[in-house]
Amino acid sequence: MSGKKTEKGPREAGTKNALDKHFKELRCLYDIASITGAPDISLHDRFLKIVNMLARAFQYPGIASARITINGNEFKTENYRNTGHKISADIIVQGTRAGTVEIDYIKTPPKTDNDLFSKEERLMLDAVAERLGAITEHRQAEEALKESEEKFSVAFRSSPYAMAITTQKDGRFIEVNDSHIRVTGYTREETIGRTSTELNAWVNPKDRRRVVKILKEKGNADKEEVQFRTKSGKTYTGQFSAEKINIGGEPCLISVSVDITEQKQSQEILQTVSHDSPLGIYIMQDEKLQYTNPQFQKITGYGQIELLDRELLSLVAIEDSDVVRSSTAFTLQEESPYPCEYRILNKNGQVKWVMQTVSPIRYGGHEAILGNLMDITERKYLERKVIEYEELSKMKSDLLATVSHELRTPLSTIKGYSTMILDYFSRLSSDETKDYLISIDNSTDRLAKLVDNLLDTSRMEAGLLKLDKSPTNISQLIRIVAAEASIRAGHHKIITQLSNRLPRLSIDVKRIRQVLDNLIDNAIKYSPQGTEVLISAKKSGRELLISINDQGAGIPAEELTSIFDRMYRIEQRLSSGVDGMGLGLYICQGLVEAHGGRIWAESTVGQGSIIQFTLPIASAVKRKIKR
Ligand code: ADP
């Protein structure tokens, strides 16, 4: 029996074999499971252990080799060789093939009736591959978590902002970072286990209630502005944010508070300075306004919205846009301020003078230009007034000098001859007395003319010149004026050349007569005796053109326009003894222009001059003539 008992029959042996095989598989799976669950073994070591174990689980362990290839890493038994006698299974991680596990017999195994690997072995390898996939997946998730925990921990510890973890239940501090310790002044030991209220951290209990309410309603707080108190009693403005987290199953709050006291102060200073500044301030990017302060808006007359994105140059007077461009460019290149003065056309069409300096700044993370403008309109107005006043004073003293000089000559003639007549009356012949009286008479005329000219000049400049117009036969007027001039200028030949049927003009006869007298007297004055003075008149379009032509010395080209300026006289003539104050042509110009006409001079030096003026032919007068 015992012999029988020890001797195993073929059926029994087959069963034992099968049992052995299963046992080996189970053992292998168990070992793998225990390796998988073992703590403190790296994934690398786990794979190495598993690969070695795996080979032993197969039917012919002596010739079995194994290899695991996963995510580019290879783990294999020392004897591993890739022979044709193999079985393999894919390792799937998160739904994709991440590697393979292979068993290779390094020698041809003993002949078997069936396949090289049994069905059970295949199933086992599949189970192992699945297990390896699960290990990898788990490990990857663990690593990711660890990595994020590490990152969080680093961020928490090294944050420049005060961070704390408190319990949600009673608000006790569980953890604080170094910045929290630095900012609050409380050590870690003083903080942990206590609440912010116990640390007297809230300056306004209202702030705390508000934050608690927000956290309850929204689950988080985002940049709430609150007042905190430190251990030393100093208060600061903090921007408080908090999120809910679970730590070890306990609902907690992680909070961060940023001290924005300085930022707030500088913002307030900037706001106050910019808002109350008497200077117009703007910030410009790509030539477009991005910020303007109230004073800038006041100067330009436009509102903040109207100015936003508007080009600064669109507000600048066209004549000044180059100055603004170049001064801005210069300042930016040279990095030294180059103030410039320019005109702004404001919304109401008024001109505002401003003085501007610019400097480069960064705004919203980009390069920008900060401009300051001072309204100097008043100053410019005063400057102009000062210049005008200086000009006026100069003119007055010039006028006084000329007037006194011009008055003295005829006055001394009058005084001289009247004294002579009075002193020597009985001794003078009647011819002598007559000559003296003629001189007195002429000088009186000259004086009267001077005074008239001065009065006319002041009237014109004060805008008080009034014309008393009436329809006038111009040909007749010219003839009369010429005839009288012939009597005055005995040694010149006064000729008239008038077109037929000249239209009647609506003019102030007295004033046009004054113009003609003046021009003819000049022609006589500035041309040698015996020469001709030609007065001509003709129609030219809608105007009448009157010319006074002489054969005198002429007027240099560069002085053809200046002779119409007030008190302008050609230098050479000043010493040539011909008297005058340089007011005649100035008055003529004023009178002609008051009539709506123009006056100008043409001349060939050495041959003579032509002074011409036009008078408009009024349509009403023309119709009158037709009727
Ligand atoms: P004035 O009192 O000096 O004549 P006007 O205003 O009449 O002043 O003339 C200004 C200046 O123009 C004169 O001083 C003279 O030099 C020049 N001028 C005016 N008319 C003539 C002319 N017909 N020929 C040459 N020079 C002239």
Side-chain angles (χ1 to χ4, degrees), residues 35-54:
I35 290 169
T36 312
D40 304 331
I41 304 181
S42 69
L43 197 61
H44 182 273
D45 287 351
R46 266 176 232 266
F47 281 137
L48 264 184
K49 279 194 166 123
I50 291 169
V51 84
N52 282 307
M53 237 170 248
L54 198 56

Side-chain angles (χ1 to χ4, degrees), residues 337-395:
Y338 178 69
C340 84
E341 293 182 1
Y342 64 89
R343 281 158 288 183
I344 277 183
L345 286 180
N346 78 2
K347 196 178 179 181
N348 306 325
Q350 290 168 329
V351 173
K352 292 274 178 186
W353 271 100
V354 292
M355 188 173 80
Q356 168 181 286
T357 52
V358 294
S359 40
I361 57 159
R362 288 194 75 78
Y363 183 72
H366 299 282
E367 284 180 358
I369 289 171
L370 172 74
N372 287 294
L373 346 157
M374 193 194 288
D375 187 344
I376 54 163
T377 315
E378 192 73 5
R379 197 194 84 193
K380 279 277 171 188
Y381 174 76
L382 290 176
E383 269 176 17
R384 213 174 43 239
K385 282 277 157 212
V386 169
I387 293 169
E388 276 175 17
Y389 179 75
E390 280 170 355
E391 274 177 1
L392 203 73
S393 311
K394 189 175 174 301
M395 197 195 84

Side-chain angles (χ1 to χ4, degrees), residues 295-518:
Q295 180 61 10
F296 185 92
Q297 292 152 22
K298 197 172 151 204
I299 296 172
T300 58
Y302 291 100
Q304 191 178 9
I305 310 276
E306 287 175 294
L307 288 169
L308 190 69
D309 271 336
R310 190 179 174 135
E311 282 192 19
L312 174 75
L313 283 176
S314 71
L315 304 168
V316 177
I318 290 186
E319 311 88 286
D320 295 343
S321 44
D322 281 348
V323 180
V324 177
R325 261 196 219 105
S326 54
S327 82
T328 307
F330 184 85
T331 305
L332 300 181
Q333 266 164 28
E334 302 297 312
E335 289 180 12
S336 65
Y338 178 69
C340 84
E341 293 182 1
Y342 64 89
R343 281 158 288 183
I344 277 183
L345 286 180
N346 78 2
K347 196 178 179 181
N348 306 325
Q350 290 168 329
V351 173
K352 292 274 178 186
W353 271 100
V354 292
M355 188 173 80
Q356 168 181 286
T357 52
V358 294
S359 40
I361 57 159
R362 288 194 75 78
Y363 183 72
H366 299 282
E367 284 180 358
I369 289 171
L370 172 74
N372 287 294
L373 346 157
M374 193 194 288
D375 187 344
I376 54 163
T377 315
E378 192 73 5
R379 197 194 84 193
K380 279 277 171 188
Y381 174 76
L382 290 176
E383 269 176 17
R384 213 174 43 239
K385 282 277 157 212
V386 169
I387 293 169
E388 276 175 17
Y389 179 75
E390 280 170 355
E391 274 177 1
L392 203 73
S393 311
K394 189 175 174 301
M395 197 195 84
K396 274 189 181 153
S397 51
D398 285 357
L399 190 75
L400 218 66
T402 322
V403 167
S404 41
H405 169 80
E406 287 300 317
L407 290 181
R408 198 165 287 136
T409 323
L411 261 183
S412 37
T413 311
I414 295 167
K415 175 71 185 159
Y417 285 120
S418 23
T419 311
M420 285 264 269
I421 296 170
L422 284 172
D423 287 356
Y424 304 103
F425 186 67
S426 51
R427 279 187 263 162
L428 291 174
S429 69
S430 58
D431 279 354
E432 279 173 326
T433 311
K434 195 183 168 193
D435 280 351
Y436 293 166
L437 284 172
I438 289 171
S439 290
I440 291 171
D441 188 46
N442 285 343
S443 295
T444 316
D445 283 349
R446 231 176 101 188
L447 266 183
K449 197 176 167 203
L450 272 175
V451 172
D452 280 349
N453 276 350
L454 282 172
L455 278 174
D456 281 345
T457 306
S458 349
R459 268 193 210 114
M460 267 167 33
E461 281 170 6
L464 295 174
L465 189 78
K466 288 221 166 58
L467 296 182
D468 182 12
K469 288 190 196 172
S470 58
T472 307
N473 181 334
I474 192 78
S475 308
Q476 203 179 350
L477 176 68
I478 293 173
R479 277 194 204 97
I480 295 169
V481 169
E484 285 178 7
S486 296
I487 301 166
R488 280 203 305 277
H491 302 292
H492 281 82
K493 224 172 143 192
I494 313 287
I495 306 165
T496 55
Q497 199 176 66
L498 310 172
S499 299
N500 285 336
R501 289 214 245 139
L502 286 177
R504 283 166 83 87
L505 298 181
S506 173
I507 52 169
D508 183 328
V509 187
K510 204 178 122 219
R511 291 308 194 174
I512 295 303
R513 188 186 181 128
Q514 188 183 343
V515 173
L516 289 166
D517 280 343
N518 227 316

Side-chain angles (χ1 to χ4, degrees), residues 518-519 522-523 525-526 550 553-555 563 565 568-570 573 579-586 609 611:
N518 227 316
L519 297 181
N522 272 355
K525 235 168 36 172
Y526 300 109
D550 67 47
I555 303 158
I563 53 170
D565 292 347
Y568 188 89
R569 305 200 73 212
I570 296 174
R573 307 260 163 74
D579 53 40
M581 280 212 301
L583 288 177
L585 288 181
Y586 175 69
S609 317
I611 313 287

